[in-house]
Amino acid sequence: MAEERAAQTAGTSGVAVPDRGRLALLWAVTVVALAVHNAEELLRDLPRWQADHPRLPGSALYGDQAQFAVALAIVTGLALVLAVAAVARRAAWSAQVLVWVGYALLVNAAGHVLLSVVSWSFMPGVLTSVLVLVPVFVLLTRVLPPVRWTVSSVLVTLVAAFGVVVGSLVIAAALA
């Protein structure tokens, strides 16, 4: 019993990795939060909002509403596949990757807030950014062991997040 508890402790942080059921629940909450956020972006027509704000970054990326819907489905599907793989395989990396996903969601939320402030309008996705993504990030970083901040882990996370977003938009454009 003591060995099992020691095995669940992450490094020297003293924060225990949640059991499989709790980790699965955290993955589910994260995927649902992403899906709800993506639904707000879609329902409030983020591509139109971007087109209405051509001076802001990213206007050319989104394409039309149908293309954007495909990109959001790809991103949400990839998050679901990652969650299922992490939980089904009982992967040792699951908790750490989930925290990094939380950081990616926080960066996304911050972008929505920043662009809303700069544009003096509510960017589609800003409501769920503040009401859903930020609380999920706080939950993940309070419940899961802290991640190790290294240049390589930060770069890998940034490249992966950027690759998923841009890749989904490129695939959606190719399918259109």
Side-chain angles (χ1 to χ4, degrees), residues 24-71:
L25 180 60
L26 291 171
W27 272 106
V29 165
T30 302
V31 171
V32 168
L34 177 63
V36 167
H37 175 70
N38 287 348
E40 181 194 357
E41 290 180 338
L42 185 65
L43 295 173
R44 293 193 53 226
D45 199 356
L46 182 57
R48 183 197 45 76
W49 184 90
Q50 280 288 158
D52 291 346
H53 299 86
R55 294 182 182 191
L56 296 177
S59 295
L61 290 176
Y62 294 97
D64 63 14
Q65 183 71 341
Q67 203 175 311
F68 187 60
V70 171

Side-chain angles (χ1 to χ4, degrees), residues 9 14 37 50 74 98 111 129 146 148-149 155-156 158 170 172 175:
T9 301
H37 175 70
Q50 280 288 158
I74 291 169
L98 185 52
S129 289
R148 194 158 171 242
W149 289 87
L155 287 176
V156 166
L158 289 175
V170 168
L175 293 174

Side-chain angles (χ1 to χ4, degrees), residues 49-153:
W49 184 90
Q50 280 288 158
D52 291 346
H53 299 86
R55 294 182 182 191
L56 296 177
S59 295
L61 290 176
Y62 294 97
D64 63 14
Q65 183 71 341
Q67 203 175 311
F68 187 60
V70 171
L72 291 178
I74 291 169
V75 169
T76 306
L78 286 173
L80 180 60
V81 166
L82 179 61
V84 169
V87 172
R89 297 193 56 171
R90 299 181 188 185
W93 48 261
S94 181
Q96 185 168 10
V97 168
L98 185 52
V99 173
W100 283 115
V101 167
Y103 277 104
L105 294 178
L106 180 66
V107 169
N108 182 299
H112 282 278
V113 171
L114 179 64
L115 290 176
S116 292
V117 169
V118 168
S119 69
W120 288 96
S121 66
F122 283 107
M123 179 183 191
V126 73
L127 296 175
T128 53
S129 289
V130 173
L131 299 175
V132 178
L133 297 185
V134 171
V136 167
F137 167 77
V138 170
L139 172 69
L140 295 175
T141 56
R142 301 291 274 158
V143 172
L144 296 172
V147 294
R148 194 158 171 242
W149 289 87
T150 63
V151 172
S152 62
S153 65

